[in-house]
Amino acid sequence: MRGRFITVEGIDGAGKSSQIAHIVELLRSRGLEVVSTREPGGTRLGERLRELLLHEPMNLETEALLMFAARREHVAQVIEPALARGAWVVCDRFSDATFAYQGGGRGLDLHKIAQLEDWVHGKLQPDLTLVFDLEPEVAAGRLARAGNAPDKFEREQTGFFARVRAAYQARAANDPKRVRLVDADRLPHAIRDDVEALVRGLLQS
Ligand code: TYD
């Protein structure tokens, strides 16, 4: 039986990482094979492209094209083979991030992104996408407290993240069965309960 594909999204500082670890643990406790991966990245080439994407200034179209180049490699080398052998794939960001960041955040024409999406993974869509939703100001506070050196995206102003957030919310409104907003401005255990309920729903479907 083919595996299931879960993607996790949200603005920088939304707190995806600890929740992803929990999803992976939950699925493994059910005896499932789980591939935990990320974008941009997930392959040798993809990780090299990630370095460029996160640190090198570039033209907006170049940024979108490199995101999708990394994604093509990831889908072909990792995601499709895993799903085909029955593994579950949990991916930290996927194409919704391109619609949100390059589309919403930077203003790239969404039709162009949709064309690239169709080209790169026409038939493949996540079975479930969790979007951790919170105010950009709250997310910025979390990033500042974490104290890591900010990458190109994390250096953006809150106005940018407000547009990214709105784009994610629009994706959820347009595809409410797949894209689920999770209120991320709560204590970790409350967020975790919602995440668990959504993942259990997918396990039962
Ligand atoms: P992120 O997933 O936040 O990694 P970390 O938690 O290690 O910081 O970093 C990836 C960054 O790349 C994030 O700022 C969003 C951005 N991004 C895009 O702009 N477009 C995309 O299509 C993807 C996949 C990511």
Side-chain angles (χ1 to χ4, degrees):
M1 216 177 88
R2 195 175 155 82
R4 297 295 185 91
F5 184 24
I6 300 175
T7 61
V8 182
E9 302 277 356
I11 61 173
D12 290 81
K16 289 178 287 120
S17 306
S18 56
Q19 299 295 338
I20 287 172
H22 180 61
I23 295 169
V24 171
E25 204 176 293
L26 175 70
L27 295 173
R28 288 195 177 137
S29 75
R30 299 294 184 97
L32 294 164
E33 185 198 346
V34 183
V35 173
S36 181
T37 186
R38 69 171 180 181
E39 290 207 351
T43 64
R44 227 170 75 89
L45 175 62
E47 292 293 328
R48 293 180 72 178
L49 292 172
R50 180 187 178 93
E51 275 307 302
L52 295 171
L53 281 160
L54 265 51
H55 302 291
E56 191 73 27
M58 62 183 74
N59 173 275
L60 169 56
E61 273 83 9
T62 312
E63 189 173 273
L65 288 164
L66 287 183
M67 290 290 180
F68 274 104
R71 185 162 298 135
R72 180 63 209 138
E73 196 67 12
H74 196 206
V75 168
Q77 304 289 347
V78 176
I79 299 174
E80 271 297 354
L83 295 173
R85 69 172 181 266
W88 284 51
V89 176
V90 179
C91 191
D92 186 343
R93 302 191 185 281
F94 195 60
S95 290
D96 292 299
T98 317
F99 283 98
Y101 279 78
Q102 282 65 49
R106 301 225 199 279
L108 182 62
D109 181 356
L110 298 180
H111 294 104
K112 286 187 181 166
I113 302 174
Q115 283 178 332
L116 291 173
E117 179 190 35
D118 189 43
W119 188 29
V120 165
H121 58 96
K123 288 185 289 288
L124 173 72
Q125 279 296 333
D127 296 293
L128 174 65
T129 298
L130 303 177
V131 177
F132 291 103
D133 181 66
L134 84 173
E135 294 283 341
E137 290 78 7
V138 178
R142 289 185 185 174
L143 283 179
R145 277 193 299 280
N148 300 322
D151 63 38
K152 198 175 85 182
F153 294 100
E154 289 163 346
R155 281 197 297 272
E156 291 286 349
Q157 303 297 308
T158 49
F160 173 85
F161 289 109
R163 294 193 298 279
V164 174
R165 180 192 193 195
Y168 275 131
Q169 290 172 339
R171 308 267 312 148
N174 287 334
D175 194 356
K177 231 173 92 67
R178 174 178 72 85
V179 186
R180 310 297 295 259
L181 292 181
V182 176
D183 177 359
D185 193 4
R186 293 177 296 162
L187 291 171
H189 73 266
I191 301 169
R192 185 173 151 152
D193 287 349
D194 280 8
V195 168
E196 252 188 63
L198 289 164
V199 173
R200 282 185 206 286
L202 186 60
L203 278 162
Q204 282 153 14
S205 70

mmCIF file of all heavy atoms in Angstrom, residues 36-70:
data_model
loop_
_atom_site.group_PDB
_atom_site.id
_atom_site.type_symbol
_atom_site.label_atom_id
_atom_site.label_comp_id
_atom_site.label_asym_id
_atom_site.label_seq_id
_atom_site.Cartn_x
_atom_site.Cartn_y
_atom_site.Cartn_z
ATOM 1 N N SER A 36 11.569 11.414 7.386
ATOM 2 C CA SER A 36 11.437 12.799 7.819
ATOM 3 C C SER A 36 12.429 13.638 7.015
ATOM 4 O O SER A 36 13.633 13.388 7.048
ATOM 5 C CB SER A 36 11.732 12.877 9.319
ATOM 6 O OG SER A 36 11.600 14.194 9.766
ATOM 7 N N THR A 37 11.941 14.628 6.308
ATOM 8 C CA THR A 37 12.811 15.349 5.384
ATOM 9 C C THR A 37 12.413 16.824 5.346
ATOM 10 O O THR A 37 11.512 17.237 6.067
ATOM 11 C CB THR A 37 12.751 14.652 4.001
ATOM 12 O OG1 THR A 37 13.694 15.251 3.135
ATOM 13 C CG2 THR A 37 11.371 14.704 3.380
ATOM 14 N N ARG A 38 13.118 17.635 4.554
ATOM 15 C CA ARG A 38 12.835 19.067 4.566
ATOM 16 C C ARG A 38 13.091 19.708 3.207
ATOM 17 O O ARG A 38 13.812 19.157 2.372
ATOM 18 C CB ARG A 38 13.704 19.761 5.597
ATOM 19 C CG ARG A 38 15.182 19.784 5.210
ATOM 20 C CD ARG A 38 15.950 20.673 6.151
ATOM 21 N NE ARG A 38 17.375 20.740 5.828
ATOM 22 C CZ ARG A 38 18.251 21.435 6.531
ATOM 23 N NH1 ARG A 38 17.866 22.101 7.587
ATOM 24 N NH2 ARG A 38 19.528 21.460 6.184
ATOM 25 N N GLU A 39 12.489 20.893 3.050
ATOM 26 C CA GLU A 39 12.730 21.703 1.847
ATOM 27 C C GLU A 39 13.026 23.145 2.235
ATOM 28 O O GLU A 39 12.474 23.626 3.227
ATOM 29 C CB GLU A 39 11.501 21.657 0.932
ATOM 30 C CG GLU A 39 11.335 20.295 0.296
ATOM 31 C CD GLU A 39 10.613 20.355 -1.034
ATOM 32 O OE1 GLU A 39 10.080 21.422 -1.390
ATOM 33 O OE2 GLU A 39 10.593 19.336 -1.719
ATOM 34 N N PRO A 40 13.813 23.885 1.450
ATOM 35 C CA PRO A 40 14.623 23.293 0.390
ATOM 36 C C PRO A 40 15.662 22.357 1.012
ATOM 37 O O PRO A 40 16.180 22.639 2.081
ATOM 38 C CB PRO A 40 15.270 24.502 -0.293
ATOM 39 C CG PRO A 40 15.225 25.602 0.729
ATOM 40 C CD PRO A 40 14.032 25.338 1.584
ATOM 41 N N GLY A 41 15.925 21.254 0.311
ATOM 42 C CA GLY A 41 16.895 20.282 0.817
ATOM 43 C C GLY A 41 16.427 18.863 0.575
ATOM 44 O O GLY A 41 15.732 18.593 -0.395
ATOM 45 N N GLY A 42 16.828 17.976 1.480
ATOM 46 C CA GLY A 42 16.348 16.595 1.423
ATOM 47 C C GLY A 42 17.147 15.667 0.529
ATOM 48 O O GLY A 42 16.963 14.452 0.579
ATOM 49 N N THR A 43 18.000 16.232 -0.329
ATOM 50 C CA THR A 43 18.926 15.437 -1.154
ATOM 51 C C THR A 43 20.277 16.158 -1.084
ATOM 52 O O THR A 43 20.352 17.304 -0.625
ATOM 53 C CB THR A 43 18.504 15.373 -2.638
ATOM 54 O OG1 THR A 43 18.572 16.702 -3.177
ATOM 55 C CG2 THR A 43 17.095 14.830 -2.808
ATOM 56 N N ARG A 44 21.303 15.500 -1.599
ATOM 57 C CA ARG A 44 22.621 16.134 -1.591
ATOM 58 C C ARG A 44 22.615 17.444 -2.387
ATOM 59 O O ARG A 44 23.032 18.490 -1.905
ATOM 60 C CB ARG A 44 23.663 15.173 -2.185
ATOM 61 C CG ARG A 44 24.926 15.045 -1.369
ATOM 62 C CD ARG A 44 25.740 13.897 -1.922
ATOM 63 N NE ARG A 44 26.390 14.290 -3.175
ATOM 64 C CZ ARG A 44 27.601 14.852 -3.222
ATOM 65 N NH1 ARG A 44 28.276 15.079 -2.117
ATOM 66 N NH2 ARG A 44 28.131 15.177 -4.382
ATOM 67 N N LEU A 45 22.064 17.345 -3.590
ATOM 68 C CA LEU A 45 21.974 18.546 -4.425
ATOM 69 C C LEU A 45 21.049 19.582 -3.778
ATOM 70 O O LEU A 45 21.353 20.780 -3.749
ATOM 71 C CB LEU A 45 21.455 18.171 -5.822
ATOM 72 C CG LEU A 45 21.189 19.345 -6.769
ATOM 73 C CD1 LEU A 45 22.462 20.135 -7.047
ATOM 74 C CD2 LEU A 45 20.568 18.853 -8.075
ATOM 75 N N GLY A 46 19.926 19.109 -3.249
ATOM 76 C CA GLY A 46 18.954 20.011 -2.625
ATOM 77 C C GLY A 46 19.554 20.780 -1.454
ATOM 78 O O GLY A 46 19.275 21.967 -1.268
ATOM 79 N N GLU A 47 20.395 20.111 -0.680
ATOM 80 C CA GLU A 47 21.020 20.788 0.466
ATOM 81 C C GLU A 47 22.024 21.842 -0.010
ATOM 82 O O GLU A 47 22.195 22.881 0.627
ATOM 83 C CB GLU A 47 21.682 19.774 1.412
ATOM 84 C CG GLU A 47 20.685 18.874 2.156
ATOM 85 C CD GLU A 47 19.788 19.621 3.171
ATOM 86 O OE1 GLU A 47 20.246 20.611 3.757
ATOM 87 O OE2 GLU A 47 18.633 19.196 3.355
ATOM 88 N N ARG A 48 22.665 21.567 -1.140
ATOM 89 C CA ARG A 48 23.586 22.582 -1.690
ATOM 90 C C ARG A 48 22.802 23.791 -2.196
ATOM 91 O O ARG A 48 23.212 24.938 -2.029
ATOM 92 C CB ARG A 48 24.455 21.970 -2.792
ATOM 93 C CG ARG A 48 25.419 20.932 -2.229
ATOM 94 C CD ARG A 48 26.280 20.310 -3.286
ATOM 95 N NE ARG A 48 27.283 21.251 -3.786
ATOM 96 C CZ ARG A 48 28.194 20.945 -4.699
ATOM 97 N NH1 ARG A 48 28.222 19.715 -5.217
ATOM 98 N NH2 ARG A 48 29.062 21.838 -5.111
ATOM 99 N N LEU A 49 21.653 23.496 -2.831
ATOM 100 C CA LEU A 49 20.802 24.602 -3.291
ATOM 101 C C LEU A 49 20.248 25.383 -2.092
ATOM 102 O O LEU A 49 20.102 26.605 -2.144
ATOM 103 C CB LEU A 49 19.656 24.064 -4.164
ATOM 104 C CG LEU A 49 20.096 23.496 -5.518
ATOM 105 C CD1 LEU A 49 18.930 22.801 -6.224
ATOM 106 C CD2 LEU A 49 20.660 24.599 -6.414
ATOM 107 N N ARG A 50 19.960 24.668 -1.005
ATOM 108 C CA ARG A 50 19.468 25.348 0.214
ATOM 109 C C ARG A 50 20.454 26.401 0.714
ATOM 110 O O ARG A 50 20.053 27.515 1.074
ATOM 111 C CB ARG A 50 19.213 24.307 1.311
ATOM 112 C CG ARG A 50 18.691 24.918 2.611
ATOM 113 C CD ARG A 50 18.620 23.871 3.723
ATOM 114 N NE ARG A 50 18.182 24.468 4.966
ATOM 115 C CZ ARG A 50 16.914 24.525 5.382
ATOM 116 N NH1 ARG A 50 15.966 23.989 4.657
ATOM 117 N NH2 ARG A 50 16.601 25.092 6.523
ATOM 118 N N GLU A 51 21.729 26.041 0.710
ATOM 119 C CA GLU A 51 22.750 26.992 1.143
ATOM 120 C C GLU A 51 22.662 28.288 0.344
ATOM 121 O O GLU A 51 22.710 29.387 0.898
ATOM 122 C CB GLU A 51 24.153 26.385 0.943
ATOM 123 C CG GLU A 51 24.627 25.526 2.084
ATOM 124 C CD GLU A 51 24.545 26.266 3.405
ATOM 125 O OE1 GLU A 51 25.166 27.340 3.558
ATOM 126 O OE2 GLU A 51 23.806 25.752 4.286
ATOM 127 N N LEU A 52 22.524 28.122 -0.980
ATOM 128 C CA LEU A 52 22.418 29.306 -1.845
ATOM 129 C C LEU A 52 21.121 30.057 -1.572
ATOM 130 O O LEU A 52 21.105 31.288 -1.439
ATOM 131 C CB LEU A 52 22.468 28.890 -3.318
ATOM 132 C CG LEU A 52 23.788 28.267 -3.791
ATOM 133 C CD1 LEU A 52 23.639 27.693 -5.190
ATOM 134 C CD2 LEU A 52 24.896 29.332 -3.769
ATOM 135 N N LEU A 53 20.028 29.318 -1.489
ATOM 136 C CA LEU A 53 18.716 29.955 -1.327
ATOM 137 C C LEU A 53 18.602 30.735 -0.016
ATOM 138 O O LEU A 53 17.963 31.783 0.034
ATOM 139 C CB LEU A 53 17.618 28.884 -1.391
ATOM 140 C CG LEU A 53 17.278 28.438 -2.818
ATOM 141 C CD1 LEU A 53 16.572 27.090 -2.820
ATOM 142 C CD2 LEU A 53 16.413 29.492 -3.505
ATOM 143 N N LEU A 54 19.231 30.228 1.035
ATOM 144 C CA LEU A 54 19.100 30.873 2.345
ATOM 145 C C LEU A 54 20.106 31.998 2.570
ATOM 146 O O LEU A 54 19.928 32.811 3.480
ATOM 147 C CB LEU A 54 19.208 29.837 3.469
ATOM 148 C CG LEU A 54 17.871 29.280 3.988
ATOM 149 C CD1 LEU A 54 16.976 28.773 2.876
ATOM 150 C CD2 LEU A 54 18.075 28.206 5.037
ATOM 151 N N HIS A 55 21.172 32.037 1.734
ATOM 152 C CA HIS A 55 22.229 33.014 2.035
ATOM 153 C C HIS A 55 22.647 33.915 0.886
ATOM 154 O O HIS A 55 23.306 34.915 1.110
ATOM 155 C CB HIS A 55 23.451 32.279 2.604
ATOM 156 C CG HIS A 55 23.105 31.489 3.836
ATOM 157 N ND1 HIS A 55 22.774 32.092 5.031
ATOM 158 C CD2 HIS A 55 22.985 30.160 4.050
ATOM 159 C CE1 HIS A 55 22.478 31.161 5.930
ATOM 160 N NE2 HIS A 55 22.593 29.977 5.360
ATOM 161 N N GLU A 56 22.287 33.555 -0.336
ATOM 162 C CA GLU A 56 22.781 34.307 -1.490
ATOM 163 C C GLU A 56 21.669 35.221 -2.024
ATOM 164 O O GLU A 56 20.580 34.736 -2.329
ATOM 165 C CB GLU A 56 23.183 33.275 -2.575
ATOM 166 C CG GLU A 56 23.950 33.816 -3.728
ATOM 167 C CD GLU A 56 25.384 34.167 -3.362
ATOM 168 O OE1 GLU A 56 25.946 33.567 -2.420
ATOM 169 O OE2 GLU A 56 25.921 35.068 -4.022
ATOM 170 N N PRO A 57 21.942 36.524 -2.135
ATOM 171 C CA PRO A 57 20.911 37.379 -2.752
ATOM 172 C C PRO A 57 20.689 36.952 -4.199
ATOM 173 O O PRO A 57 21.658 36.599 -4.892
ATOM 174 C CB PRO A 57 21.532 38.784 -2.705
ATOM 175 C CG PRO A 57 22.699 38.694 -1.794
ATOM 176 C CD PRO A 57 23.163 37.275 -1.796
ATOM 177 N N MET A 58 19.442 36.965 -4.660
ATOM 178 C CA MET A 58 19.166 36.567 -6.049
ATOM 179 C C MET A 58 17.841 37.165 -6.494
ATOM 180 O O MET A 58 17.016 37.568 -5.683
ATOM 181 C CB MET A 58 19.149 35.044 -6.180
ATOM 182 C CG MET A 58 18.092 34.337 -5.367
ATOM 183 S SD MET A 58 18.187 32.529 -5.515
ATOM 184 C CE MET A 58 19.635 32.149 -4.542
ATOM 185 N N ASN A 59 17.668 37.154 -7.798
ATOM 186 C CA ASN A 59 16.441 37.607 -8.416
ATOM 187 C C ASN A 59 15.267 36.726 -7.959
ATOM 188 O O ASN A 59 15.444 35.535 -7.717
ATOM 189 C CB ASN A 59 16.684 37.508 -9.940
ATOM 190 C CG ASN A 59 15.460 37.773 -10.745
ATOM 191 O OD1 ASN A 59 14.659 36.878 -10.973
ATOM 192 N ND2 ASN A 59 15.310 38.998 -11.185
ATOM 193 N N LEU A 60 14.079 37.332 -7.864
ATOM 194 C CA LEU A 60 12.911 36.602 -7.355
ATOM 195 C C LEU A 60 12.571 35.356 -8.176
ATOM 196 O O LEU A 60 12.286 34.279 -7.625
ATOM 197 C CB LEU A 60 11.716 37.564 -7.311
ATOM 198 C CG LEU A 60 10.339 36.975 -7.066
ATOM 199 C CD1 LEU A 60 10.297 36.174 -5.773
ATOM 200 C CD2 LEU A 60 9.300 38.092 -7.013
ATOM 201 N N GLU A 61 12.611 35.498 -9.515
ATOM 202 C CA GLU A 61 12.305 34.326 -10.357
ATOM 203 C C GLU A 61 13.340 33.232 -10.146
ATOM 204 O O GLU A 61 13.011 32.047 -10.105
ATOM 205 C CB GLU A 61 12.264 34.698 -11.842
ATOM 206 C CG GLU A 61 10.912 35.192 -12.328
ATOM 207 C CD GLU A 61 10.709 36.663 -12.024
ATOM 208 O OE1 GLU A 61 11.681 37.335 -11.584
ATOM 209 O OE2 GLU A 61 9.582 37.149 -12.226
ATOM 210 N N THR A 62 14.618 33.634 -10.022
ATOM 211 C CA THR A 62 15.679 32.656 -9.782
ATOM 212 C C THR A 62 15.385 31.887 -8.498
ATOM 213 O O THR A 62 15.526 30.655 -8.441
ATOM 214 C CB THR A 62 17.046 33.359 -9.651
ATOM 215 O OG1 THR A 62 17.186 34.275 -10.733
ATOM 216 C CG2 THR A 62 18.189 32.379 -9.636
ATOM 217 N N GLU A 63 14.965 32.625 -7.481
ATOM 218 C CA GLU A 63 14.673 32.003 -6.186
ATOM 219 C C GLU A 63 13.577 30.933 -6.336
ATOM 220 O O GLU A 63 13.713 29.805 -5.843
ATOM 221 C CB GLU A 63 14.235 33.097 -5.200
ATOM 222 C CG GLU A 63 14.112 32.634 -3.768
ATOM 223 C CD GLU A 63 13.841 33.817 -2.846
ATOM 224 O OE1 GLU A 63 14.812 34.459 -2.402
ATOM 225 O OE2 GLU A 63 12.653 34.110 -2.579
ATOM 226 N N ALA A 64 12.505 31.289 -7.041
ATOM 227 C CA ALA A 64 11.400 30.341 -7.226
ATOM 228 C C ALA A 64 11.847 29.131 -8.056
ATOM 229 O O ALA A 64 11.513 27.988 -7.742
ATOM 230 C CB ALA A 64 10.217 31.043 -7.897
ATOM 231 N N LEU A 65 12.627 29.396 -9.099
ATOM 232 C CA LEU A 65 13.083 28.289 -9.959
ATOM 233 C C LEU A 65 14.008 27.337 -9.210
ATOM 234 O O LEU A 65 13.914 26.117 -9.354
ATOM 235 C CB LEU A 65 13.787 28.849 -11.201
ATOM 236 C CG LEU A 65 12.849 29.501 -12.222
ATOM 237 C CD1 LEU A 65 13.633 30.368 -13.195
ATOM 238 C CD2 LEU A 65 12.038 28.449 -12.968
ATOM 239 N N LEU A 66 14.885 27.896 -8.378
ATOM 240 C CA LEU A 66 15.790 27.026 -7.604
ATOM 241 C C LEU A 66 15.022 26.234 -6.548
ATOM 242 O O LEU A 66 15.360 25.076 -6.269
ATOM 243 C CB LEU A 66 16.912 27.833 -6.959
ATOM 244 C CG LEU A 66 18.002 28.350 -7.897
ATOM 245 C CD1 LEU A 66 19.087 29.077 -7.110
ATOM 246 C CD2 LEU A 66 18.628 27.212 -8.699
ATOM 247 N N MET A 67 13.998 26.849 -5.950
ATOM 248 C CA MET A 67 13.153 26.100 -5.004
ATOM 249 C C MET A 67 12.564 24.878 -5.715
ATOM 250 O O MET A 67 12.564 23.770 -5.184
ATOM 251 C CB MET A 67 11.998 26.973 -4.477
ATOM 252 C CG MET A 67 12.411 28.083 -3.536
ATOM 253 S SD MET A 67 12.967 27.439 -1.942
ATOM 254 C CE MET A 67 13.368 28.989 -1.119
ATOM 255 N N PHE A 68 12.061 25.103 -6.928
ATOM 256 C CA PHE A 68 11.439 23.996 -7.651
ATOM 257 C C PHE A 68 12.460 23.017 -8.230
ATOM 258 O O PHE A 68 12.159 21.840 -8.388
ATOM 259 C CB PHE A 68 10.480 24.509 -8.729
ATOM 260 C CG PHE A 68 9.102 24.763 -8.182
ATOM 261 C CD1 PHE A 68 8.653 26.041 -7.937
ATOM 262 C CD2 PHE A 68 8.256 23.695 -7.886
ATOM 263 C CE1 PHE A 68 7.383 26.270 -7.412
ATOM 264 C CE2 PHE A 68 6.988 23.908 -7.366
ATOM 265 C CZ PHE A 68 6.547 25.208 -7.125
ATOM 266 N N ALA A 69 13.657 23.487 -8.525
ATOM 267 C CA ALA A 69 14.711 22.558 -8.976
ATOM 268 C C ALA A 69 15.066 21.610 -7.838
ATOM 269 O O ALA A 69 15.153 20.384 -8.022
ATOM 270 C CB ALA A 69 15.942 23.343 -9.440
ATOM 271 N N ALA A 70 15.253 22.175 -6.646
ATOM 272 C CA ALA A 70 15.543 21.344 -5.468
ATOM 273 C C ALA A 70 14.385 20.379 -5.212
ATOM 274 O O ALA A 70 14.576 19.207 -4.884
ATOM 275 C CB ALA A 70 15.773 22.228 -4.250
#
